[in-house]
Amino acid sequence: MLRVLIGILVYSCASALPVPAFRVSRLSSPHGASSHTVQSSRRALFAPAFCLAAAVPLAASADSIDDALRKDKDLLRQEEFDLGGVLSKIKQILRQEKDDKATIKLKQKAITETTDDERLVALKAEVAALEKKIAEEDSQEEALESEKAKDTAIVNTQLAKVKAKEAIVDERDSESEIASAI
C-alpha cells in the first residue's frame, strides 16, 4: 500500500514538471498542414497541490508507524522485564527449596542419632514445618511456571509485532531512499 502511494506521488510530481511550449505540425491532417502550440498539461496545474496533499498523510503515516513501533518496543521491554522478574522468583524458590531439603536431611540424620525424647520431638516438628514449607514453595513454583508461560507467550507476540513494524519501517526507509534518488 505504501509503495503504491509513493509511486503515485513520485509519478504525479515528476509528470507535473512544466513542459516548454513547442510547435507540432500535423502533416497528415485532412485540412492540410496546421500547427498547434502544446503547453503544460492540466496535471501541471494541480500537481503541486496534489503532491503537498499526498505528502502530508504519508508523513503522518510514517510518524504514526514510528510512534507505534516505539510504543511496542517499550511494551516489549516491560514484558521482558516482567518475565525476568518471574524467572528470578522461580530461581529463588528453587534455591530455597534445595536448601530446605538439605536441612531436612540433616535433621533426619540428627533424629536417628538422638536419644533425647524432647530433642526428638523438636526435630520432628522442624522437619514437618520444613516439609510444609516445601509444599508451599512447590505450589508457588507451579503458579510462577504458569505465569512464566503466559509472559513468554506475551513476549513472543510482542516481539513478532515489533519485528513486523520494523520491517515496515525498513521498507519505508528503503523506498524513500529510492524515491529521493529518482
Side-chain angles (χ1 to χ4, degrees):
M1 178 70 174
L2 189 59
R3 286 183 184 174
V4 172
L5 290 174
I6 289 175
I8 291 171
L9 179 66
V10 169
Y11 174 75
S12 64
C13 291
S15 66
L17 296 174
V19 179
F22 60 95
R23 294 181 110 20
V24 176
S25 297
R26 287 195 182 176
L27 299 175
S28 61
S29 172
H31 302 302
S34 66
S35 63
H36 299 282
T37 301
V38 179
Q39 302 240 340
S40 301
S41 67
R42 278 184 252 157
R43 232 182 294 177
L45 295 173
F46 299 109
F50 177 73
C51 291
L52 180 62
V56 171
L58 287 176
S61 173
D63 290 341
S64 67
I65 290 174
D66 291 337
D67 289 342
L69 178 61
R70 185 175 21 82
K71 288 177 184 177
D72 284 343
K73 282 183 176 182
D74 291 342
L75 185 59
L76 176 63
R77 273 188 237 109
Q78 181 62 40
E79 293 298 336
E80 287 174 336
F81 180 76
D82 293 346
L83 179 60
V86 170
L87 293 174
S88 175
K89 287 177 186 177
I90 290 172
K91 187 176 179 180
Q92 180 184 6
I93 286 174
L94 291 174
R95 191 177 314 120
Q96 184 63 42
E97 189 174 328
K98 181 181 176 184
D99 293 344
D100 290 342
K101 287 181 179 179
T103 304
I104 286 175
K105 285 184 181 181
L106 290 174
K107 293 196 184 282
Q108 287 175 338
K109 183 179 180 184
I111 288 173
T112 59
E113 296 174 353
T114 190
T115 56
D116 184 17
D117 288 338
E118 289 180 22
R119 174 103 171 113
L120 182 65
V121 171
L123 287 172
K124 285 184 179 182
E126 290 175 11
V127 168
L130 286 172
E131 287 174 343
K132 183 179 177 184
K133 183 178 176 187
I134 288 174
E136 290 173 1
E137 289 170 348
D138 284 342
S139 66
Q140 287 177 352
E141 181 184 352
E142 288 176 15
L144 288 171
E145 286 292 337
S146 173
E147 188 175 338
K148 173 187 159 190
K150 290 177 187 175
D151 284 351
T152 302
I154 291 171
V155 165
N156 290 339
T157 302
Q158 195 63 30
L159 184 61
K161 283 175 64 176
V162 166
K163 285 184 178 183
K165 286 184 181 170
E166 283 177 340
I168 291 170
V169 168
D170 290 344
E171 183 178 329
R172 180 201 64 208
D173 291 345
S174 66
E175 287 175 354
S176 66
E177 289 175 5
I178 291 170
S180 66
I182 294 175

